[in-house]
Amino acid sequence: MFRRIAITLLMVAVCAQMAPAATRYHTQRLADMARAAGLSLPGEAAAGMCDDSTYTFRGRPLRVRTNSFGDISHIGYRLFSPQLMEAYGASPLFNFIERYLLELDLSLDGRTPAARMDIDRIVTTAGDISMLHTMAADAAFSIETITRRMYRLKWAAGTRTLSITIPADCQLLAGANAIELEEIFERDLQRIIPMDGDEFIGGWDKAKVARSEGLLIVDGGTFMSEMIRGDVYLTEHGGRRRLVADASKPRQSVTNIMLTGCYGRTIPLDLTIDRYGYKSSKVAVTVQQFVSYCLAEGCKLYFGVKTNDGERLTGTLFALNEKMACNHVLSIDFPTAILKESGDTAAKAGDDIRKAAATAAKATAYVYIPLQNVTEKFFQSDQNDKRK
């Protein structure tokens, strides 16, 4: 009896090891598309892979990409040249158009292309979107951005013209609704490896810099209000510039940490993610992971200080993603005692983040907020800049 059970368990273990790894997808829609298109994608894909020659649908070449985690992050028709995409700074619109045209052909929800486009508020003001199947790769192309509202894409080849208007909607561009975007955020935030500080500070020698009270202030601009800034603070000794990280200057030090993620030790973050439908979830990550996640998405960071009583500094971090027409907002309570802790008490990579330090920053995140919902009045009433 026990021998039979042992053999059965051994067979199950062997089969589990022999079974191919399941393909990981960034969104559920990509998984649905792969299944509908009959694609057999690898279970173990390399991170940062781009394959535009292996797969086809109805005889047309497809482009398949993975993200930094090795998840399938893009499936779509191969419509654009690498040179064109590079010229526009790898705009998410390229991925969107390639994926969306394939979605229309796959008819995942059973609707006609016209019905689907009507729901998504995508309008062709000249030509028909199906023209993309025959539009030459060297056709004249342009993108016009109406900030926070819409994008206009235009192709012209001889007498043929195609013009498409796309709403500035992060859910539409990402191919995921608000609930799934929150799930993606929570999943990937815990997987991300913080950026090295040198990746951020490399371009400071070319930045606009002002001097005040013995410090250098790198001008990072403002977001919606003069109190919400992207400025970082430096000291300069012997011609070498360093970020201010000084317990006697908590406002400048915390601002630097929130905008760069650079600090001498890992800072634990007890994070609550505000979720759709009056729900929330809690995760234990680090401040560095949160900042790195935002920067990896291409966000520009701004920080506004609310209060600073000598023991705690509270403020709000805004991670603006203009290309995806959304932002993340992090309301943080930062104990300034963290700035006094030595490296011996620091949380080290791989340690239990919750137990590694006596103090941790606490924060609530609101993620993938459409920029249409952002108003200057909200930010000005929410912020109280304490210049201390």
Side-chain angles (χ1 to χ4, degrees), residues 141-186:
F141 175 78
S142 64
I143 298 175
E144 178 187 357
T145 301
I146 301 176
T147 305
R148 303 184 188 178
R149 292 293 177 263
M150 67 182 67
Y151 305 98
R152 291 195 181 110
L153 280 62
K154 186 176 181 179
W155 292 258
T159 59
R160 304 175 67 219
T161 300
L162 172 62
S163 182
I164 303 174
T165 300
I166 301 169
D169 183 332
C170 59
Q171 295 179 37
L172 177 67
L173 296 176
N177 62 27
I179 294 174
E180 187 178 6
L181 285 176
E182 291 166 354
E183 292 170 349
I184 289 170
F185 181 91
E186 181 174 343

Short mmCIF file of all heavy atoms in Angstrom, two decimals, residues 141-186:
data_model
loop_
_atom_site.label_atom_id
_atom_site.label_comp_id
_atom_site.label_asym_id
_atom_site.label_seq_id
_atom_site.Cartn_x
_atom_site.Cartn_y
_atom_site.Cartn_z
N PHE A 141 4.80 58.55 -42.40
CA PHE A 141 4.06 58.29 -41.17
C PHE A 141 4.30 59.42 -40.18
O PHE A 141 5.40 59.97 -40.08
CB PHE A 141 4.52 56.97 -40.56
CG PHE A 141 3.91 56.67 -39.21
CD1 PHE A 141 2.61 56.19 -39.11
CD2 PHE A 141 4.63 56.87 -38.04
CE1 PHE A 141 2.05 55.93 -37.87
CE2 PHE A 141 4.08 56.61 -36.80
CZ PHE A 141 2.78 56.13 -36.72
N SER A 142 3.25 59.77 -39.41
CA SER A 142 3.39 60.80 -38.39
C SER A 142 2.45 60.52 -37.22
O SER A 142 1.42 59.88 -37.39
CB SER A 142 3.11 62.19 -38.97
OG SER A 142 1.75 62.28 -39.40
N ILE A 143 2.85 61.01 -36.05
CA ILE A 143 2.03 60.92 -34.84
C ILE A 143 1.81 62.33 -34.31
O ILE A 143 2.76 63.07 -34.09
CB ILE A 143 2.70 60.07 -33.74
CG1 ILE A 143 2.91 58.63 -34.21
CG2 ILE A 143 1.86 60.09 -32.46
CD1 ILE A 143 3.67 57.78 -33.20
N GLU A 144 0.57 62.69 -34.10
CA GLU A 144 0.23 63.98 -33.48
C GLU A 144 -0.40 63.68 -32.12
O GLU A 144 -1.33 62.89 -32.03
CB GLU A 144 -0.76 64.75 -34.35
CG GLU A 144 -1.20 66.08 -33.73
CD GLU A 144 -2.30 66.76 -34.51
OE1 GLU A 144 -2.70 66.23 -35.56
OE2 GLU A 144 -2.78 67.81 -34.04
N THR A 145 0.13 64.31 -31.10
CA THR A 145 -0.35 64.08 -29.74
C THR A 145 -1.14 65.28 -29.24
O THR A 145 -0.65 66.41 -29.27
CB THR A 145 0.82 63.83 -28.77
OG1 THR A 145 1.56 62.69 -29.22
CG2 THR A 145 0.31 63.57 -27.36
N ILE A 146 -2.36 65.03 -28.81
CA ILE A 146 -3.16 66.05 -28.13
C ILE A 146 -3.14 65.64 -26.66
O ILE A 146 -3.82 64.71 -26.25
CB ILE A 146 -4.59 66.11 -28.68
CG1 ILE A 146 -4.55 66.42 -30.18
CG2 ILE A 146 -5.42 67.17 -27.93
CD1 ILE A 146 -5.91 66.40 -30.84
N THR A 147 -2.31 66.33 -25.89
CA THR A 147 -1.98 65.91 -24.54
C THR A 147 -3.20 65.54 -23.71
O THR A 147 -4.16 66.31 -23.61
CB THR A 147 -1.18 67.01 -23.82
OG1 THR A 147 -0.04 67.35 -24.61
CG2 THR A 147 -0.72 66.54 -22.44
N ARG A 148 -3.14 64.34 -23.15
CA ARG A 148 -4.17 63.80 -22.25
C ARG A 148 -5.52 63.55 -22.92
O ARG A 148 -6.49 63.23 -22.24
CB ARG A 148 -4.39 64.70 -21.03
CG ARG A 148 -3.13 64.96 -20.23
CD ARG A 148 -3.43 65.78 -18.99
NE ARG A 148 -2.21 66.17 -18.32
CZ ARG A 148 -2.16 66.93 -17.24
NH1 ARG A 148 -3.29 67.38 -16.73
NH2 ARG A 148 -1.02 67.25 -16.70
N ARG A 149 -5.57 63.70 -24.22
CA ARG A 149 -6.86 63.54 -24.89
C ARG A 149 -6.84 62.46 -25.97
O ARG A 149 -7.61 61.53 -25.93
CB ARG A 149 -7.30 64.88 -25.50
CG ARG A 149 -7.66 65.93 -24.47
CD ARG A 149 -8.89 65.55 -23.68
NE ARG A 149 -9.20 66.53 -22.63
CZ ARG A 149 -8.84 66.39 -21.37
NH1 ARG A 149 -8.14 65.34 -20.99
NH2 ARG A 149 -9.16 67.30 -20.47
N MET A 150 -5.94 62.60 -26.95
CA MET A 150 -5.96 61.63 -28.06
C MET A 150 -4.67 61.70 -28.84
O MET A 150 -3.83 62.58 -28.66
CB MET A 150 -7.14 61.90 -28.99
CG MET A 150 -7.06 63.20 -29.75
SD MET A 150 -8.51 63.49 -30.80
CE MET A 150 -9.80 63.70 -29.55
N TYR A 151 -4.53 60.70 -29.73
CA TYR A 151 -3.42 60.64 -30.67
C TYR A 151 -4.00 60.55 -32.08
O TYR A 151 -5.01 59.89 -32.31
CB TYR A 151 -2.54 59.43 -30.41
CG TYR A 151 -2.02 59.34 -29.01
CD1 TYR A 151 -2.65 58.53 -28.06
CD2 TYR A 151 -0.90 60.05 -28.62
CE1 TYR A 151 -2.18 58.44 -26.76
CE2 TYR A 151 -0.41 59.97 -27.32
CZ TYR A 151 -1.06 59.16 -26.40
OH TYR A 151 -0.59 59.09 -25.12
N ARG A 152 -3.31 61.20 -33.03
CA ARG A 152 -3.69 61.07 -34.44
C ARG A 152 -2.51 60.45 -35.18
O ARG A 152 -1.41 60.99 -35.18
CB ARG A 152 -4.03 62.44 -35.04
CG ARG A 152 -5.31 63.04 -34.51
CD ARG A 152 -5.77 64.20 -35.40
NE ARG A 152 -7.00 64.80 -34.88
CZ ARG A 152 -7.06 66.02 -34.35
NH1 ARG A 152 -5.97 66.76 -34.28
NH2 ARG A 152 -8.20 66.51 -33.91
N LEU A 153 -2.75 59.32 -35.80
CA LEU A 153 -1.73 58.63 -36.58
C LEU A 153 -2.09 58.74 -38.05
O LEU A 153 -3.26 58.56 -38.41
CB LEU A 153 -1.65 57.15 -36.18
CG LEU A 153 -0.85 56.81 -34.91
CD1 LEU A 153 -1.47 57.46 -33.68
CD2 LEU A 153 -0.78 55.30 -34.72
N LYS A 154 -1.10 59.03 -38.88
CA LYS A 154 -1.38 59.24 -40.29
C LYS A 154 -0.33 58.54 -41.16
O LYS A 154 0.87 58.64 -40.89
CB LYS A 154 -1.41 60.74 -40.62
CG LYS A 154 -1.84 61.05 -42.06
CD LYS A 154 -1.95 62.55 -42.28
CE LYS A 154 -2.40 62.89 -43.69
NZ LYS A 154 -2.54 64.34 -43.91
N TRP A 155 -0.80 57.82 -42.17
CA TRP A 155 0.05 57.19 -43.17
C TRP A 155 -0.30 57.80 -44.54
O TRP A 155 -1.47 58.06 -44.83
CB TRP A 155 -0.20 55.69 -43.27
CG TRP A 155 0.21 54.87 -42.08
CD1 TRP A 155 1.33 54.11 -41.96
CD2 TRP A 155 -0.52 54.69 -40.85
NE1 TRP A 155 1.35 53.47 -40.74
CE2 TRP A 155 0.23 53.81 -40.04
CE3 TRP A 155 -1.72 55.21 -40.36
CZ2 TRP A 155 -0.20 53.42 -38.78
CZ3 TRP A 155 -2.15 54.83 -39.10
CH2 TRP A 155 -1.38 53.95 -38.32
N ALA A 156 0.72 57.97 -45.38
CA ALA A 156 0.48 58.47 -46.74
C ALA A 156 1.44 57.77 -47.69
O ALA A 156 2.66 57.78 -47.47
CB ALA A 156 0.67 59.98 -46.80
N ALA A 157 0.87 57.13 -48.72
CA ALA A 157 1.68 56.46 -49.74
C ALA A 157 1.05 56.76 -51.09
O ALA A 157 0.02 56.18 -51.44
CB ALA A 157 1.74 54.96 -49.48
N GLY A 158 1.63 57.67 -51.82
CA GLY A 158 1.04 58.08 -53.09
C GLY A 158 -0.31 58.76 -52.85
O GLY A 158 -0.41 59.73 -52.11
N THR A 159 -1.34 58.23 -53.49
CA THR A 159 -2.69 58.79 -53.30
C THR A 159 -3.42 58.14 -52.15
O THR A 159 -4.56 58.52 -51.85
CB THR A 159 -3.50 58.60 -54.59
OG1 THR A 159 -3.59 57.19 -54.90
CG2 THR A 159 -2.86 59.34 -55.76
N ARG A 160 -2.81 57.17 -51.51
CA ARG A 160 -3.47 56.46 -50.41
C ARG A 160 -3.14 57.14 -49.08
O ARG A 160 -1.98 57.34 -48.74
CB ARG A 160 -3.03 54.99 -50.36
CG ARG A 160 -3.27 54.25 -51.68
CD ARG A 160 -2.71 52.84 -51.61
NE ARG A 160 -3.45 52.04 -50.66
CZ ARG A 160 -2.89 51.15 -49.84
NH1 ARG A 160 -1.57 51.01 -49.80
NH2 ARG A 160 -3.65 50.41 -49.04
N THR A 161 -4.18 57.47 -48.34
CA THR A 161 -4.00 58.11 -47.03
C THR A 161 -4.86 57.39 -45.99
O THR A 161 -6.03 57.08 -46.23
CB THR A 161 -4.42 59.59 -47.08
OG1 THR A 161 -3.60 60.27 -48.03
CG2 THR A 161 -4.26 60.24 -45.71
N LEU A 162 -4.26 57.14 -44.84
CA LEU A 162 -4.97 56.55 -43.71
C LEU A 162 -4.72 57.41 -42.49
O LEU A 162 -3.58 57.72 -42.16
CB LEU A 162 -4.48 55.12 -43.45
CG LEU A 162 -5.00 54.44 -42.17
CD1 LEU A 162 -6.52 54.29 -42.21
CD2 LEU A 162 -4.34 53.09 -41.97
N SER A 163 -5.80 57.82 -41.83
CA SER A 163 -5.70 58.64 -40.62
C SER A 163 -6.56 58.02 -39.54
O SER A 163 -7.75 57.76 -39.76
CB SER A 163 -6.13 60.07 -40.89
OG SER A 163 -5.99 60.88 -39.74
N ILE A 164 -5.98 57.77 -38.37
CA ILE A 164 -6.68 57.12 -37.27
C ILE A 164 -6.55 57.97 -36.02
O ILE A 164 -5.46 58.44 -35.67
CB ILE A 164 -6.09 55.71 -36.98
CG1 ILE A 164 -6.15 54.83 -38.23
CG2 ILE A 164 -6.83 55.04 -35.83
CD1 ILE A 164 -5.47 53.49 -38.05
N THR A 165 -7.66 58.16 -35.32
CA THR A 165 -7.67 58.87 -34.04
C THR A 165 -7.88 57.87 -32.92
O THR A 165 -8.84 57.09 -32.96
CB THR A 165 -8.78 59.94 -34.01
OG1 THR A 165 -8.54 60.88 -35.06
CG2 THR A 165 -8.79 60.66 -32.68
N ILE A 166 -6.99 57.91 -31.93
CA ILE A 166 -7.02 56.95 -30.81
C ILE A 166 -7.12 57.71 -29.50
O ILE A 166 -6.34 58.63 -29.25
CB ILE A 166 -5.73 56.10 -30.81
CG1 ILE A 166 -5.59 55.34 -32.15
CG2 ILE A 166 -5.72 55.12 -29.65
CD1 ILE A 166 -4.22 54.71 -32.32
N PRO A 167 -8.06 57.36 -28.62
CA PRO A 167 -8.16 58.04 -27.33
C PRO A 167 -6.90 57.81 -26.49
O PRO A 167 -6.27 56.75 -26.56
CB PRO A 167 -9.37 57.37 -26.67
CG PRO A 167 -10.11 56.71 -27.77
CD PRO A 167 -9.09 56.32 -28.79
N ALA A 168 -6.54 58.79 -25.69
CA ALA A 168 -5.43 58.65 -24.74
C ALA A 168 -5.98 57.91 -23.52
O ALA A 168 -6.41 58.52 -22.55
CB ALA A 168 -4.87 60.01 -24.36
N ASP A 169 -5.97 56.61 -23.59
CA ASP A 169 -6.60 55.75 -22.57
C ASP A 169 -5.64 54.62 -22.25
O ASP A 169 -5.38 53.76 -23.09
CB ASP A 169 -7.92 55.21 -23.11
CG ASP A 169 -8.68 54.37 -22.11
OD1 ASP A 169 -8.05 53.76 -21.23
OD2 ASP A 169 -9.92 54.31 -22.20
N CYS A 170 -5.10 54.61 -21.03
CA CYS A 170 -4.09 53.61 -20.67
C CYS A 170 -4.64 52.19 -20.73
O CYS A 170 -3.91 51.25 -21.08
CB CYS A 170 -3.51 53.91 -19.30
SG CYS A 170 -4.69 53.92 -17.93
N GLN A 171 -5.92 52.00 -20.39
CA GLN A 171 -6.50 50.66 -20.43
C GLN A 171 -6.59 50.16 -21.87
O GLN A 171 -6.30 49.00 -22.16
CB GLN A 171 -7.87 50.67 -19.77
CG GLN A 171 -7.84 50.98 -18.28
CD GLN A 171 -9.22 50.99 -17.66
OE1 GLN A 171 -10.07 50.20 -18.03
NE2 GLN A 171 -9.44 51.90 -16.72
N LEU A 172 -6.97 51.04 -22.78
CA LEU A 172 -7.05 50.67 -24.19
C LEU A 172 -5.66 50.35 -24.73
O LEU A 172 -5.46 49.33 -25.40
CB LEU A 172 -7.67 51.82 -24.98
CG LEU A 172 -7.76 51.64 -26.51
CD1 LEU A 172 -8.74 50.52 -26.86
CD2 LEU A 172 -8.18 52.94 -27.18
N LEU A 173 -4.68 51.19 -24.43
CA LEU A 173 -3.33 51.00 -24.94
C LEU A 173 -2.68 49.74 -24.38
O LEU A 173 -1.94 49.05 -25.09
CB LEU A 173 -2.47 52.22 -24.62
CG LEU A 173 -2.88 53.54 -25.27
CD1 LEU A 173 -1.98 54.68 -24.78
CD2 LEU A 173 -2.80 53.45 -26.79
N ALA A 174 -2.95 49.44 -23.11
CA ALA A 174 -2.34 48.28 -22.48
C ALA A 174 -3.08 46.98 -22.78
O ALA A 174 -2.52 45.90 -22.64
CB ALA A 174 -2.28 48.48 -20.96
N GLY A 175 -4.34 47.09 -23.18
CA GLY A 175 -5.12 45.89 -23.43
C GLY A 175 -5.53 45.20 -22.15
O GLY A 175 -5.59 43.96 -22.08
N ALA A 176 -5.82 45.98 -21.12
CA ALA A 176 -6.21 45.43 -19.82
C ALA A 176 -7.10 46.44 -19.11
O ALA A 176 -6.88 47.65 -19.22
CB ALA A 176 -4.98 45.12 -18.96
N ASN A 177 -8.10 45.96 -18.37
CA ASN A 177 -8.97 46.87 -17.64
C ASN A 177 -8.34 47.30 -16.33
O ASN A 177 -7.23 46.86 -15.97
CB ASN A 177 -10.35 46.26 -17.42
CG ASN A 177 -10.31 44.99 -16.58
OD1 ASN A 177 -9.41 44.80 -15.76
ND2 ASN A 177 -11.28 44.12 -16.77
N ALA A 178 -9.04 48.16 -15.58
CA ALA A 178 -8.48 48.73 -14.35
C ALA A 178 -8.13 47.65 -13.33
O ALA A 178 -7.09 47.71 -12.67
CB ALA A 178 -9.47 49.72 -13.74
N ILE A 179 -8.97 46.63 -13.21
CA ILE A 179 -8.73 45.57 -12.23
C ILE A 179 -7.47 44.80 -12.58
O ILE A 179 -6.63 44.52 -11.72
CB ILE A 179 -9.95 44.63 -12.14
CG1 ILE A 179 -11.16 45.39 -11.59
CG2 ILE A 179 -9.64 43.41 -11.29
CD1 ILE A 179 -12.46 44.58 -11.61
N GLU A 180 -7.32 44.45 -13.86
CA GLU A 180 -6.13 43.68 -14.25
C GLU A 180 -4.87 44.52 -14.15
O GLU A 180 -3.81 44.03 -13.75
CB GLU A 180 -6.28 43.13 -15.67
CG GLU A 180 -5.14 42.19 -16.04
CD GLU A 180 -5.25 41.58 -17.41
OE1 GLU A 180 -6.18 41.97 -18.16
OE2 GLU A 180 -4.42 40.74 -17.76
N LEU A 181 -4.95 45.81 -14.48
CA LEU A 181 -3.78 46.66 -14.35
C LEU A 181 -3.30 46.73 -12.90
O LEU A 181 -2.09 46.73 -12.63
CB LEU A 181 -4.08 48.07 -14.86
CG LEU A 181 -4.15 48.23 -16.38
CD1 LEU A 181 -4.56 49.65 -16.75
CD2 LEU A 181 -2.81 47.87 -17.04
N GLU A 182 -4.23 46.77 -11.96
CA GLU A 182 -3.84 46.77 -10.54
C GLU A 182 -3.19 45.45 -10.17
O GLU A 182 -2.22 45.41 -9.41
CB GLU A 182 -5.08 47.02 -9.68
CG GLU A 182 -5.62 48.45 -9.79
CD GLU A 182 -7.02 48.60 -9.21
OE1 GLU A 182 -7.63 47.58 -8.82
OE2 GLU A 182 -7.50 49.75 -9.16
N GLU A 183 -3.70 44.35 -10.71
CA GLU A 183 -3.10 43.03 -10.44
C GLU A 183 -1.70 42.94 -11.04
O GLU A 183 -0.79 42.39 -10.41
CB GLU A 183 -4.00 41.93 -11.01
CG GLU A 183 -5.33 41.80 -10.29
CD GLU A 183 -6.30 40.87 -11.01
OE1 GLU A 183 -6.01 40.50 -12.17
OE2 GLU A 183 -7.33 40.51 -10.41
N ILE A 184 -1.54 43.48 -12.23
CA ILE A 184 -0.23 43.48 -12.88
C ILE A 184 0.76 44.29 -12.05
O ILE A 184 1.91 43.89 -11.84
CB ILE A 184 -0.34 44.04 -14.31
CG1 ILE A 184 -1.08 43.04 -15.21
CG2 ILE A 184 1.04 44.36 -14.89
CD1 ILE A 184 -1.44 43.60 -16.57
N PHE A 185 0.31 45.45 -11.59
CA PHE A 185 1.17 46.31 -10.77
C PHE A 185 1.65 45.56 -9.54
O PHE A 185 2.85 45.55 -9.24
CB PHE A 185 0.40 47.57 -10.37
CG PHE A 185 1.20 48.54 -9.55
CD1 PHE A 185 1.93 49.54 -10.17
CD2 PHE A 185 1.24 48.44 -8.17
CE1 PHE A 185 2.69 50.44 -9.42
CE2 PHE A 185 1.99 49.32 -7.41
CZ PHE A 185 2.72 50.32 -8.03
N GLU A 186 0.73 44.93 -8.81
CA GLU A 186 1.10 44.22 -7.59
C GLU A 186 2.05 43.06 -7.90
O GLU A 186 3.03 42.83 -7.17
CB GLU A 186 -0.15 43.69 -6.89
CG GLU A 186 0.14 42.96 -5.58
CD GLU A 186 -1.11 42.57 -4.83
OE1 GLU A 186 -2.19 43.12 -5.13
OE2 GLU A 186 -1.02 41.70 -3.94
#
